[in-house]
Amino acid sequence: QVQLVESGGGLVQPGGSLRLSCAASGIIFSIYRMSWYRQAPGKQRELAATITSAGRTNYSESVKGRFTISRDNAKNTVFLQMNSLKPEDTAAYYCNAYDAIKGYWGQGTQVTVSS
């Protein structure tokens, strides 16, 4: 059974930082492209960052330069380091695993940026 479990969300002030984690089980983690998506209330889910099995990264323009995605294949975990957070970063953040055949989603973790 495939499981993706996100953690690390919470309430943070503008300009602050958070580090999200997504622990995967039930898949051969190292071959999967891992991504972080986010969905704000009333908006569509959007891609924030991706890291391929080879370690190549890609970011949306809205987070580029502030967020960093990384992975630890030994721990089957992907991370999202979020710095210089803005109120518009407030959203539920979801982990996604994709191997060109099938994709899996985590349950999400809430990030709220507010003073």
Side-chain angles (χ1 to χ4, degrees):
Q1 181 181 358
V2 178
Q3 280 193 314
L4 300 176
V5 180
E6 300 100 332
S7 60
L11 174 64
V12 63
Q13 292 187 341
S17 298
L18 282 175
R19 189 192 196 205
L20 305 184
S21 300
C22 171
S25 60
I27 59 173
I28 304 174
F29 180 80
S30 61
I31 70 171
Y32 277 74
R33 184 186 74 194
M34 300 300 298
S35 300
W36 286 96
Y37 286 75
R38 65 184 186 179
Q39 187 168 18
K43 295 188 176 181
Q44 288 189 332
R45 191 171 296 189
E46 64 174 7
L47 177 65
T50 294
I51 185 165
T52 69
S53 58
R56 291 188 296 271
T57 59
N58 192 41
Y59 300 91
S60 69
E61 286 301 319
S62 60
V63 308
K64 193 175 294 183
R66 300 186 299 121
F67 291 11
T68 302
I69 189 170
S70 60
R71 64 191 298 160
D72 184 338
N73 289 339
K75 296 182 178 180
N76 288 359
T77 302
V78 62
F79 305 97
L80 186 68
Q81 178 67 43
M82 305 186 296
N83 299 327
S84 302
L85 283 161
K86 305 175 181 180
E88 51 263 44
D89 295 317
T90 295
Y93 283 72
Y94 297 90
C95 176
N96 175 270
Y98 180 69
D99 70 350
I101 297 175
K102 192 170 183 179
Y104 302 95
W105 292 95
Q107 83 289 349
T109 185
Q110 179 67 34
V111 172
T112 302
V113 185
S114 175
S115 55

